[in-house]
Amino acid sequence: MTDPNPSPAARSHERPPVYVIGGGPGGLATAAGLKAHGVRAVVLEKSDRVGASWRGHYDRLHLHTTRRLSSLPGLPIPRRFGRWVSRDDVVRYLEKYAEFHDLEVVTGVEVTRVDRAPDGEGWLLRATGGRELTAAAVVVATGHNHTPRLPDWPGASSYTGTLLHASAYRSPAPYAGQDVLVVGIGNTGAEIAVDLVEGGAARVRIAVRTAPHIVRRSTLGWPAQRTGILCRRLPVWLVDRLAVPLGRLSVPDLAAQGLPRPGTGLYSRAREGAIPVQDVGLVDAVRTGKVRPVAAVASFEGAEVVLADGTRLTPDTVIAATGYRQGLEDLVGHLGVLDPATGRPRPHGARTLPTAPGLYFSGYTNPISGMLRELALDADRIGRALAKSA
């Protein structure tokens, strides 16, 4: 591993490196992109290994994007991993990626704050152990799914059943024979619900606030991701209009089972951050009654969960698939680079703000064309931008 803070004598002979915060796919791809363009990059990862967030995902997880369209720059994902790559194989790939590109990765270092350098040139990073690191530029890539977000439901603290965020879910084994309520019908909630059914849960319900758009992961060999890539080149209104008949052809009407078709446009919703649910078994599970959609959660009272329509349930376990915050406020919130409403970075990819030149962000959008694909594109763009300014 690399010393993140070389001696003054060593620093005097070279320009400070670009520090990349986060050793997940975005951070590793960016470091490789910078290296390819002749820019020295040092990755700072707070855990003891790269790909920490992927190691913590549930066992069943596979990429919803294809192997071919999910590789990071300079190293294809091995063909033996299959079309839909498993969580464990993603981790293996990230480990190999750092090794293959001989990336400078420093583990066990958490950056707690980023400030402009006192002389106005570059950046000063404060990290664990009292470290102060000088950077020519900084790329923040701590991940879209950084800090679990659990709604502040009235009565939740006194709920007598088990309440956990989806980030703590690993497999269905602990819930076999239980009555489980999954809250949230994004891709994570939908997949966990199916996992629970297949793993022997006695009853599975899924609380729905807003009916999602559901798409087949692949139709006659054509992956939904390729459609998503094409959609990004078309007007939003046109994609919304075309998605209606296509959705009716590919996904049955589940209104009778409590899951009506959404009234808003597919791409309009995606642009707001609500990515369509890729079907990995949810449609059949809802159609056959194995997963029952119910109203959104309003509150908790003792052993009961009170839904928005007044229904009261007494599940053994509630799993909240309610998303994540990016958790960037302490790190860069004082620099005016975050959207006040969402907490997400205002600049992205190779764009920076005039008030924060040299501060880049990668991996804080959830594109319809696939997260890993966009991370790969951003890595090259950031590399080109920093090579020009070096």
Side-chain angles (χ1 to χ4, degrees), residues 123 335-338 345-348 351-359 361:
W123 295 88
L335 298 172
V337 294
L338 302 182
R346 292 162 56 202
H348 193 78
R351 293 187 300 107
T352 62
L353 294 183
T355 55
L359 180 59
F361 296 86

Side-chain angles (χ1 to χ4, degrees), residues 135-216:
V138 178
V139 182
V140 182
T142 53
H144 189 272
N145 295 345
H146 184 271
T147 305
R149 181 171 59 83
L150 197 64
D152 187 19
W153 287 304
S157 61
S158 58
Y159 176 56
T160 57
T162 300
L163 172 61
L164 67 149
H165 189 270
S167 59
Y169 177 88
R170 294 294 175 269
S171 76
Y175 314 101
Q178 288 194 11
D179 181 340
V180 185
L181 173 66
V182 178
V183 183
I185 195 168
N187 278 295
T188 297
E191 191 157 4
I192 288 176
V194 173
D195 200 30
L196 289 164
V197 167
E198 295 178 355
R203 174 185 287 172
V204 179
R205 287 173 282 208
I206 188 163
V208 181
R209 182 175 299 279
T210 305
H213 288 275
I214 302 175
V215 299
R216 299 290 187 184

